[in-house]
């Protein structure tokens, strides 16, 4: 498969990591553009119109979050954030600002390519779906938005209103990591001390009802300490 039509902008100031990513994406058949500063990356975003951005958060001139803010003003371009393991909070706020996914350093080439492929595919799926479908399908899971009904293997599953709202939210953002606060604000409107626990309890019930065994990532991936992600149907 040729990826020649895809242009990827990599914004990273660490030369070793930048050249590693460039090599991997080159070999993967992508066209690669690079920037080592945030401001340069922002300029290249408008001048080169890439299909996807791989973005380091710690940049010398500006915080990578500024890049996401500027990009999200007029573009839904997929943004994959690179973050160090210690920057848990940065990762979460980057996702809340509109980044699609994250990779924790150090990462392997297979992981990078898989995340890039997934983000490109989801973006194309969303662009094609100009008329939003009223039924979401993922394996044997079906979510009917109009009838507010969930079925597994053809059998309707009883879910509460809150559980349905959570499933609906995650499936409409398929493939994207939704942080705890993004889900909580969207479902309950406000966030307090007990919110994350409340969400986790709802999620445990949802997984049980969908027939997921503990630890199994059948439909929904538990991004530990960050949030949840509905699996891309082709993943
Ligand atoms: Ca850096």
């Amino acid at each position: 498969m040729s990826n020649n039509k895809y242009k990827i902008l990599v914004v990273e100031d660490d030369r070793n990591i930048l050249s590693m990513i460039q090599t991997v994406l080159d070999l993967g058949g992508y066209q690669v553009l690079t920037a080592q500063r945030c401001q340069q990356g922002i300029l290249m975003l408008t001048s080169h119109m890439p299909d996807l951005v791989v973005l380091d958060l710690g940049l010398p001139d500006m915080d990578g979050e500024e890049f996401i803010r500027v990009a999200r003003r007029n573009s839904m371009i997929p943004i994959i954030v690179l973050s160090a393991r210690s920057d848990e909070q940065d990762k979460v706020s980057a996702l809340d600002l509109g980044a699609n996914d994250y990779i924790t350093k150090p990462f392997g080439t297979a992981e990078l390519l898989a995340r890039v492929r997934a983000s490109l595919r989801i973006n194309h799926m969303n662009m094609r779906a100009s008329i939003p479908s009223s039924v979401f399908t993922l394996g044997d899971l079906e979510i009917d938005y109009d009838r507010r009904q969930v079925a597994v293997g053809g059998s309707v599953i009883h879910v509460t209103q809150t559980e349905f709202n959570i499933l609906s939210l995650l499936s409409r953002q398929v493939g994207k990591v939704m942080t705890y606060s993004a889900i909580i604000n969207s479902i309950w409107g406000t966030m307090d001390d007990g919110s994350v626990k409340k969400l986790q309890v709802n999620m445990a019930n949802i997984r049980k009802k969908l027939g997921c065994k503990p630890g199994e990532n059948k439909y929904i991936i538990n991004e530990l300490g960050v949030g949840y992600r509905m699996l891309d149907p082709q993943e």
Side-chain angles (χ1 to χ4, degrees):
M1 189 184 94
S2 167
N3 294 316
N4 283 336
K5 55 186 170 169
Y6 294 124
K7 217 187 288 178
I8 301 180
L9 171 62
V10 184
V11 189
E12 165 66 87
D13 61 314
D14 183 312
R15 281 169 194 276
N16 292 327
I17 298 176
L18 181 62
S19 99
M20 177 277 228
I21 295 173
Q22 184 166 23
T23 306
V24 170
L25 294 179
D26 260 346
L27 290 172
Y30 298 102
Q31 196 183 328
V32 187
L33 306 160
T34 63
Q36 293 187 32
R37 291 178 172 269
C38 191
Q39 190 58 50
Q40 185 194 2
I42 290 170
L43 289 174
M44 290 176 83
L45 183 66
T46 36
S47 59
H48 289 79
M49 307 278 284
D51 297 292
L52 178 139
V53 180
V54 176
L55 175 73
D56 178 35
L57 287 178
L59 295 164
D61 57 332
M62 265 193 267
D63 198 299
E65 287 187 359
E66 191 52 32
F67 182 101
I68 303 173
R69 265 188 215 103
V70 173
R72 280 292 171 263
R73 275 182 211 148
N74 50 22
S75 153
M76 286 310 292
I77 182 171
I79 300 173
I80 301 175
V81 160
L82 299 176
S83 77
R85 204 167 289 278
S86 54
D87 302 336
E88 198 78 352
Q89 197 44 55
D90 293 1
K91 189 159 74 185
V92 170
S93 47
L95 290 165
D96 280 338
L97 280 173
N100 297 67
D101 204 349
Y102 67 89
I103 306 177
T104 305
K105 295 177 186 175
F107 51 88
T109 60
E111 187 187 2
L112 174 65
L113 286 172
R115 305 265 39 106
V116 163
R117 269 196 304 267
S119 287
L120 285 169
R121 193 165 55 220
I122 290 160
N123 195 42
H124 278 247
M125 244 160 41
N126 293 346
M127 284 191 327
R128 269 202 313 271
S130 52
I131 302 164
S133 163
S134 66
V135 179
F136 170 85
T137 310
L138 172 60
D140 54 3
L141 169 67
E142 273 184 15
I143 302 173
D144 187 323
Y145 299 123
D146 294 338
R147 298 164 73 186
R148 294 183 64 83
Q149 216 169 59
V150 178
V152 174
S155 312
V156 172
I157 305 292
H158 173 75
V159 292
T160 65
Q161 291 296 317
T162 302
E163 289 163 0
F164 183 86
N165 291 341
I166 294 171
L167 279 169
S168 168
L169 177 71
L170 290 176
S171 59
R172 285 178 194 274
Q173 303 280 334
V174 64
K176 182 182 188 306
V177 180
M178 300 287 291
T179 63
Y180 296 132
S181 65
I183 300 172
I184 289 161
N185 284 322
S186 160
I187 301 294
W188 290 287
T190 52
M191 179 135 181
D192 58 46
D193 288 348
S195 295
V196 172
K197 186 73 206 155
K198 187 161 65 172
L199 172 60
Q200 286 169 336
V201 168
N202 272 282
M203 202 57 86
N205 289 336
I206 290 172
R207 293 169 61 92
K208 207 182 298 170
K209 288 178 180 181
L210 297 185
C212 301
K213 295 180 187 73
E216 187 186 33
N217 288 323
K218 204 172 174 188
Y219 312 107
I220 299 165
I221 295 183
N222 185 1
E223 303 276 357
L224 283 178
V226 178
Y228 297 95
R229 180 160 70 92
M230 183 72 84
L231 267 178
D232 167 5
Q234 289 175 58
E235 208 167 325

